[in-house]
Amino acid sequence: MKLAYVEVAGFRGYRKAIRVDFCPGFNIVDGRNGVGKSTIFDAVEFALTGTLSKYDDAKAAGESVADYVWWRGRGKAPGDRYVEVGFVGSEGEHSIRRTPFETPDAAVLDRLSSALCDVEVAPVDNLVRLCAASIIRDEQIASLSLDLKETDRYVLLRDALGATNAETWIEKGQRLTNTAKSRLAQANADVSQLTSELGAAKRRLDDVEARIASEVVVGDAVSRLRDLTGSEESADALISVARRRLAELRAAVDQQRQLAAKRDQIDELRHALPDMAGAVESAQAALKDADHRLQAISQDLSGHGSVGLNNQARDIATLAALAGTIGLTDGACPVCKSAHTPEEFGRKIEELAQLARQLDARAAEIATLEEERRMVTVARDAAQLVFNARSNEHAAAVAQVDEFDRLSSSQVDFAVANLYADRDLASVAEAIERDMRILETMRVSDEFERAKKEAAVVDERLTRAQERAGTARRAVALAQSLHDAARRAAGETLDQRLERVLPLMSELYRRLKPHPHWRDIEYSIRGDVRKFLRLQVGENLNPQFIFSSGQRRATGLAFLLSVKLSLAWSKWKTIMLDDPVQHVDDFRTVHLAEVAAQLVRDGQQVICAVEDVALADLLSRRLPVLEMGDAKRISVAPDEEGDFSIQAQTLLSPLPQHVFRARSLDKVG
C-alpha cells in the first residue's frame, strides 16, 4: 500500500480546501519555511491516529494541540473542515476521513489496519507505531536516533520489528506467576492467622487446666462452705447458696464500712453538743439583757420627744426676750395685760427664762436616751441573730447524732451479723468466695475438654494450610520458571531478528557517509533482562560526542530509515521525510538522494519535503524517473490572500533510456 492523496480543508494552516495527489515513486514537496509542508505530513498522521505525536501531549494555559487542530486564523471561516487520506495498492483503494464532529468507526479502522499491517504480528497500537516509523520529521532525526538513550533506542527498534509468539507466552507466564504469588500470599496469611489461633487455643487450654482442682481440695471446700452457709445442699446447689450468702455478706460489710467511716464524725459532734448548748444559753441571756434595757429606755421616753421640748424652750425664750424688750405698757404686761410693778414684771421675765433653760436641758436628756435606745436595738438584733445561729447549729448536730444512733441500731443486717457474731464479716466473705472458685472448677473440666477439641481442630486446619502454602510455593517456582523461559525465548527470537536488521543499519550508514574518517558504524546489543542498543565507531567511540550536528543527523537518519525498513509487519511502502537535510551539506545531500533512489527502485514510495528550491531541483534530477507518472514535484506557497495553497503539482519526465538506436542488420550490408 502507498499513499495516494491527502485532502484537507480548515485543518491547521490550510483554510481553503486543497488536494495533493502523490505518485507511486518519489515526490518532492518544496516551499519556504512556514508555508504548510509539514502540515501535509500532519494530516496523514492525524487521519490515521487522531492525534499529532510531535507535540507529545504538551499543554499550556489549559490548552493542548487538540485546541489547534482545526483552523483558528484570521479571514473567513472555512465552510467545511475535514482531513481525508487515501491509499492504493494491490488490495485496492482505502480512505479515511476525520472532521471536528466525526471520527472513523471501528470497521473502517480495522479494514485500514488490515490493509497497512499484518495484524497477526503487528503491535496493538499498530497505526500509531506505523506513523512513528514512516513519518520521519526533522525534530525526530536527532532526538529519536543518535541522542536517544540506549535502552529507548532498543525499545524503538524492538517495537518496529513487531510482536512474536513468545510475547503471548510471556504474558501468560506473567499472569500465572501473579496468580501463583497471590495464592501463596493468601496461603501464608492463612498459616499466620491459624498459627496465632493455635497459640491462643493452647494458652487457653493451659489456663483452664491450671484452674482444675483435685477431688480432695473440692471436698474440703464443700465442707467449709456448708459450715459457713449453714446449708447441707449438694455441691452443685451449694454454689448458688454460697453466692446468695456472699452477696448478703458484702452488703453487710459495705454497711459496716459506711457506718465506721461516719462514726468518727458523729463522735466529734457528740462531744461538741454540751459546748453548743452553752453557746445557745449565752446567746439567749445576751438577748434577754438587751430586751430588758430596751424596755427600761422605752419607759423613760414614754410621752416625750426631744424635738417637742426643744421647740417649747425656744418659744418661751423668745417670749421672755420680747417682753423684756417691750417692757410694761401703761403699768401692764404687754402679753397678758395684767398690771405689774417693774420688779414683779422683771421676776416674771426671769421665771420664763429659767423655764426655757429647764426645758432645753430635758430635751438634751431625752435625745441621749433616744440614741441609747437605737444602739440597744441594734445590739438586741445582733443578739437575736447569734441566738438563732447557735440554736440551729445545736439542733442540726443533735439531729445528726440521733439519726446515726437510729441507723446504727436498724440498718445493719443483724441476721448476718448475729450468724457471724464472733467473726469478721470481710474474712468470712473472702473464705466463701475462695471456696466457690474451687467448686466452680468442676465445671472447668467440661470447659477443658472443649478447649482440647478446639485446639485439635485449629491444629488440623493449620496442617492443611501449611500443605497449601507448600503447594503454592512450588507453583510460584514453576510459574516463574515458565515466565523466565518465555522471556529468554522471546529475547533469543528478537536477537535473531536484530542480527538480520543490524547489517541494514550499517549499510545505510555507509551509503549516507556521515563522516569522512569513520566509514563504518557498529550496532551492538547487550544486557539480559534490560536491553541496550549501543552505537560506536572506530575503537569503541560514541558518535554522539564526536560527530558534528550534520554528521549526527545523517547517522540518525540512517538509524530511522533502518527502523522503517525493518517493519516486518508493515504493508505500507511509503517513507515520508520532513525536511531531512537541515544542517546537512550538499555532499551528504547527494548521498541521501542516491539512497532514496535505491529505495524507490526497491518499490518504496518516497515523499520528501525540503525548504531549499535548489535542493529540490537537485533531488528532482538525481532521483530516477522510469515512466511518466512515477514522480512529482509539488510546490507549496501562500496564495494572494495569504492562505496556504498548492501552487503547482508537476509530473517529472522520465530520463532518456536510449541515445543511439542501432540500425537493423539487414540494412548494414
Side-chain angles (χ1 to χ4, degrees):
M1 297 294 291
K2 295 182 179 180
L3 186 62
Y5 68 89
V6 171
E7 187 174 349
V8 299
F11 177 75
R12 303 284 285 164
Y14 284 95
R15 181 169 67 92
K16 301 174 182 178
I18 63 105
R19 178 185 172 101
V20 182
D21 294 295
F22 297 101
C23 292
F26 72 87
N27 301 265
I28 306 299
V29 181
D30 69 88
R32 60 185 177 84
N33 191 24
V35 296
K37 302 187 302 296
S38 298
T39 303
I40 297 175
F41 291 63
D42 292 342
V44 176
E45 182 181 9
F46 183 76
L48 291 175
T49 66
T51 186
L52 298 176
S53 60
K54 67 180 181 181
Y55 293 100
D56 195 22
D57 296 330
K59 293 184 177 181
E63 294 181 320
S64 66
V65 66
D67 298 303
Y68 291 86
V69 168
W70 304 107
W71 172 264
R72 292 187 60 173
R74 296 180 179 179
K76 182 180 178 182
D80 196 7
R81 302 180 187 186
Y82 63 89
V83 171
E84 184 174 325
V85 177
F87 301 87
V88 64
S90 59
E91 299 181 2
E93 297 182 358
H94 296 271
S95 64
I96 184 170
R97 183 184 180 94
R98 290 182 187 268
T99 72
F101 314 104
E102 182 181 1
T103 57
D105 57 29
V108 173
L109 289 174
D110 289 342
R111 286 195 298 270
L112 189 59
S113 295
S114 299
L116 297 177
C117 309
D118 185 353
V119 293
E120 293 184 357
V121 295
V124 177
D125 51 348
N126 48 23
L127 293 180
V128 174
R129 296 190 182 279
L130 194 61
C131 290
S134 301
I135 304 175
I136 301 176
R137 302 179 185 275
D138 165 46
E139 59 266 21
Q140 291 175 304
I141 292 176
S143 64
L144 294 181
S145 54
L146 193 60
D147 294 341
L148 205 62
K149 293 181 180 178
E150 293 181 353
T151 53
D152 296 337
R153 186 183 297 125
Y154 175 84
V155 171
L156 179 65
L157 184 56
R158 181 199 65 191
D159 294 342
L161 293 177
T164 64
N165 292 335
E167 296 295 332
T168 303
W169 289 103
I170 291 176
E171 183 180 356
K172 290 181 179 179
Q174 186 63 55
R175 288 201 302 268
L176 286 174
T177 302
N178 293 339
T179 301
K181 288 182 178 179
S182 176
R183 292 180 178 177
L184 177 59
Q186 183 60 49
N188 287 334
D190 293 342
V191 169
S192 178
Q193 180 180 355
L194 290 172
T195 301
S196 300
E197 291 181 7
L198 181 60
K202 288 183 176 181
R203 288 192 297 273
R204 182 169 176 270
L205 187 63
D206 294 339
D207 180 64
V208 173
E209 186 177 11
R211 289 189 282 125
I212 297 177
S214 65
E215 293 182 0
V216 175
V217 174
V218 172
D220 293 342
V222 170
S223 298
R224 288 193 298 270
L225 281 178
R226 285 174 177 170
D227 178 60
L228 290 173
T229 60
S231 173
E232 296 297 329
E233 297 286 348
S234 62
D236 291 336
L238 190 59
I239 293 178
S240 299
V241 175
R243 187 174 289 110
R244 289 194 299 271
R245 182 53 53 84
L246 181 62
E248 295 172 353
L249 281 169
R250 285 174 175 169
V253 168
D254 289 341
Q255 292 170 358
Q256 287 183 343
R257 288 175 179 172
Q258 293 175 4
L259 291 174
K262 199 172 183 179
R263 181 174 291 109
D264 294 340
Q265 179 183 358
I266 296 302
D267 288 343
E268 291 181 1
L269 284 177
R270 197 187 305 276
H271 290 106
L273 285 178
D275 294 337
M276 291 182 181
V280 171
E281 292 177 357
S282 298
Q284 187 176 18
L287 179 61
K288 289 181 179 180
D289 182 61
D291 286 338
H292 292 157
R293 291 177 59 196
L294 185 60
Q295 184 177 7
I297 294 172
S298 297
Q299 289 177 355
D300 291 341
L301 290 175
S302 178
H304 298 284
S306 59
V307 176
L309 291 177
N310 282 331
N311 292 335
Q312 290 180 8
R314 185 178 62 253
D315 293 340
I316 292 174
T318 301
L319 181 61
L322 181 61
T325 301
I326 297 174
L328 293 174
T329 304
D330 298 330
C333 176
V335 177
C336 63
K337 302 299 183 180
S338 298
H340 293 285
T341 62
E343 292 78 8
E344 291 176 351
F345 184 70
R347 286 195 302 273
K348 292 293 183 179
I349 291 175
E350 181 61 29
E351 289 176 0
L352 287 175
Q354 182 64 29
L355 178 59
R357 287 192 294 272
Q358 290 176 354
L359 290 175
D360 187 59
R362 180 57 179 169
E365 292 178 1
I366 290 174
T368 301
L369 289 175
E370 287 177 346
E371 177 63 23
E372 184 179 359
R373 182 175 63 179
R374 187 185 64 79
M375 294 178 62
V376 171
T377 300
V378 172
R380 191 265 177 198
D381 293 339
Q384 182 68 52
L385 292 175
V386 172
F387 173 73
N388 293 340
R390 297 292 182 268
S391 298
N392 293 336
E393 183 181 2
H394 179 262
V398 171
Q400 290 186 46
V401 172
D402 293 343
E403 179 67 15
F404 179 79
D405 293 340
R406 184 183 63 79
L407 291 175
S408 299
S409 61
S410 62
Q411 187 173 358
V412 178
D413 189 344
F414 284 97
V416 175
N418 292 334
L419 183 62
Y420 306 102
D422 56 343
R423 303 182 64 175
D424 179 60
L425 296 184
S427 300
V428 175
E430 291 178 0
I432 291 176
E433 186 175 12
R434 183 170 54 253
D435 289 333
M436 281 176 58
R437 285 197 297 267
I438 295 175
L439 288 188
E440 287 176 347
T441 59
M442 295 186 301
R443 300 176 181 176
V444 175
S445 299
D446 296 335
E447 186 179 354
F448 179 72
E449 294 299 326
R450 290 194 300 272
K452 285 176 61 178
K453 292 180 181 179
E454 292 175 359
V457 170
V458 175
D459 191 23
E460 183 179 358
R461 291 174 57 198
L462 176 60
T463 301
R464 291 198 298 270
Q466 290 172 340
E467 292 175 354
R468 290 196 301 272
T471 303
R473 279 191 292 271
R474 291 190 294 273
V476 169
L478 180 59
Q480 189 66 54
S481 63
L482 290 174
H483 182 241
D484 294 341
R487 293 178 63 185
R488 284 193 298 271
E492 292 172 0
T493 303
L494 187 59
D495 289 345
Q496 292 176 359
R497 291 189 178 186
L498 290 174
E499 288 176 0
R500 294 193 297 269
V501 173
L502 294 181
L504 175 61
M505 297 182 188
S506 299
E507 176 66 21
L508 287 171
Y509 175 85
R510 286 192 295 270
R511 286 180 177 270
L512 290 175
K513 300 177 183 179
H515 202 281
H517 300 299
W518 290 292
R519 302 295 182 88
D520 294 310
I521 191 169
E522 295 181 3
Y523 297 83
S524 60
I525 298 174
R526 56 188 177 86
D528 184 13
V529 177
R530 191 178 184 187
K531 298 287 187 177
F532 299 84
L533 178 57
R534 177 178 176 81
L535 282 68
Q536 61 186 34
V537 296
E539 298 296 330
N540 296 325
L541 300 177
N542 191 336
Q544 180 179 357
F545 304 116
I546 60 176
F547 279 19
S548 68
S549 175
Q551 291 167 344
R552 290 164 61 191
R553 294 177 67 84
T555 304
L557 183 58
F559 174 78
L560 293 177
L561 284 174
S562 65
V563 170
K564 162 61 180 174
L565 298 174
S566 301
L567 298 180
W569 47 270
S570 173
K571 300 179 185 179
W572 190 19
K573 301 301 181 181
T574 300
I575 300 175
M576 305 182 72
L577 302 173
D578 185 9
D579 208 358
V581 293
Q582 282 196 19
H583 307 289
V584 177
D585 55 27
D586 294 343
F587 179 72
R588 293 179 180 84
T589 302
V590 173
H591 296 160
L592 174 61
E594 293 177 351
V595 171
Q598 185 60 47
L599 293 174
V600 170
R601 281 193 291 268
D602 290 343
Q604 296 286 337
Q605 180 190 35
V606 176
I607 302 174
C608 183
V610 295
E611 180 180 350
D612 189 357
V613 176
L615 179 59
D617 293 337
L618 172 65
L619 292 174
S620 297
R621 292 193 302 270
R622 298 290 298 185
L623 292 174
V625 181
L626 301 179
E627 295 181 2
M628 198 66 179
D630 280 351
K632 176 183 285 190
R633 181 172 178 178
I634 304 161
S635 298
V636 183
D639 61 11
E640 61 277 4
E641 297 180 3
D643 295 329
F644 291 175
S645 65
I646 305 300
Q647 294 295 311
Q649 298 191 56
T650 306
L651 292 175
L652 300 181
S653 301
L655 295 175
Q657 298 185 22
H658 302 283
V659 177
F660 301 104
R661 289 184 178 271
R663 290 182 298 173
S664 61
L665 295 177
D666 57 349
K667 294 182 179 180
V668 173

